[in-house]
Amino acid sequence: MNGANRVAVAGARRTTELRLDGSGRGGRWKGEVFRALLIFCLVIAFVTLLAVIVQASVRGMPRIDLNLITQMPSTLDRETSGMQSAIFGTIYVMVGLIVTVVPIGVSAAIFLEEFADGTKWWVRFIELNVQNLAAVPSIVFGILGLAFIVRGPLDLGTVAYAGSLTLALLVLPTVILASREAIRAVPTSLRQASLGLGATKWQTIWHHVLPSAVPGIVTGTILALSRAIGETAPLLLVGATVFVTYNPDGFFEGAYTVLPVQIFQWAVRPQEEFRILAAAGIILLLAVLLVMNSIAIWIRNKYTRDA
Amino acid sequence: MTEPSVTHPYTPQQELPDHPVPVMQTRSLNVFYGGFHAVHDVDLAFGHHEITALIGPSGCGKSTVLRCLNRMNDLVPSARVEGEVLYHDQDVYAPSVDPIEVRRHIGMVFQKANPFPKSIYDNVAYGPRVTGMKVDSMDDHVERCLRGAALWDEVKDKLKESGYSLSGGQQQRLCIARAIATEPDVILMDEPCSALDPIATAAIEDLMLQLREQYTIVIVTHNMQQAARVSDRTAFFTARPDETTGNRTGLLVEFDKTSTIFENPSDQRTEDYISGRFG
């Protein structure tokens, strides 16, 4: 993994160097073609995003109203049906996710960066598996959550925190990898200064390494959470699938649903009103996502400038 | 001998004894990084309230030796130390010794000024706070340390400002103030002036000579004039390539009074280096 990454990075750098060398036959011509190809790819990504936003906005606009957030979902009052239970369910799941994944992810990152001896086989094994975990399809985490969290050893039942834990497994690798990057970016000279004064390793991490790494950790965590907030597949398996018309009673009791699942519930119904409602839900979800990502970018830029 | 005509511009407060009265000593110090033999058999003695300079070409192990004195080499996972490093007759590498405790008595100033991203006041107060040192008044202690580092007059009106707001030379003096705040016995300086302009360098050199009144100082420097200007004794290191691997192992060539090293060295290699024929 690390080795493979390094090879990939080295390969990419070498490619760039060769590219910049420009001595090859027709170097400039090839460069222009390559540039056009890259811009084309960018356009595809951008047009797709724009199409989704425009399509959802046009269809859902009639239902962007207060009812959308103040009313419970209802199959009877099609005109005024809302998604309050899904909004509350999402809030419960996300809060449970944050308090679970941040301490575990950051602690794991601190251990791997500051304490673990990278030459030991078991440390490499853990690092390799953290990266592998990031590539596991989300539905697999759903099955795992059903077997071990909803039923099995933890036996939580289909409650909001079961959803939080399942999503925590899903985004844990992202949080660990982002936190490691942030911790690694803290200059060694800062650690040496602190240790040289007779501070303990823990004091050094707590007073200097973590405060300097917090912006990076927060940015990475928000991006991980914005992936989790849009996840549907794993939550379908751990209880969010039911049509609930009331808010969760708490983290550990009561049925729950979340925004993407509610959108799915509506989108499969034949009546036009529900399809419009689904489009409105998509706008809401996209708005939340864009706000979260903007905050992440804002934090990153703010601290990059200050540093 | 082509001679750089070095004279010692500062007279020590008393006559320098022929042999140092050691605060620290190394005995048969060998350092390895993994399988690489970095330093071979170094025997040195750092005299009480003297400035000892470690000089030599790049890769001769002088910084490695310096970092062994307060166990900063422990931070390199593959580093291994053999031999003894004595601090007042206590081997700092003895199993019972806590490296944290060693670093509280043997302070360090680094090549590149590395103040904490905190206020000037907090930079100085950090060491006493984390080590649980008893001070009657932290304000007075900070002032004393900043005065000790000849920085007080320049920063007394902006103690709450970031350490980064200072110039490079001021930052390095802030690092010295921070180092003396834990009241160490010995101060290690790893090329403290290599990133500074001549005026800032002169300020640090003056400061070193003041600090000698209270501390034992060991300085690594690439600048031979600097060694000649400030140090009482000089140790000259060189690097010897291994015949099979080509790895360069550092070794101590000559250790004597600075005036002797610069005016009348007993080893040909020292003379070649001093006179600029090598390195």
Side-chain angles (χ1 to χ4, degrees), chain A residues 116-119 187-201 203-208 211-212 306-307, chain B residues 67 70 72 75 77 100 103-104 106-108 110 112 114-118 123 126-127 129-131 164 178-179 182:
Chain A
D117 178 358
T119 59
T188 318
S189 63
L190 205 58
R191 293 182 179 85
Q192 289 189 341
S194 176
L195 292 167
L197 287 173
T200 63
K201 190 149 194 178
Q203 286 170 329
T204 301
I205 292 170
W206 190 248
H207 295 145
H208 301 293
S212 303
D306 290 355
Chain B
R67 281 159 179 271
N70 68 343
M72 285 303 273
L75 307 179
I100 308 289
R103 296 183 199 130
R104 287 175 191 185
I106 305 168
M108 188 148 196
F110 297 86
K112 192 169 168 296
N114 53 357
F116 299 128
K118 295 173 183 287
N123 261 283
Y126 184 74
R129 279 182 189 148
V130 291
T131 54
Y164 287 167
R178 184 177 67 183
T182 53

Side-chain angles (χ1 to χ4, degrees), chain B residues 29-49:
Chain B
L29 181 70
N30 282 272
V31 187
F32 304 84
Y33 294 117
F36 165 52
H37 194 174
V39 173
H40 176 74
D41 269 350
V42 171
D43 290 275
L44 278 174
F46 304 102
H48 182 70
H49 292 196

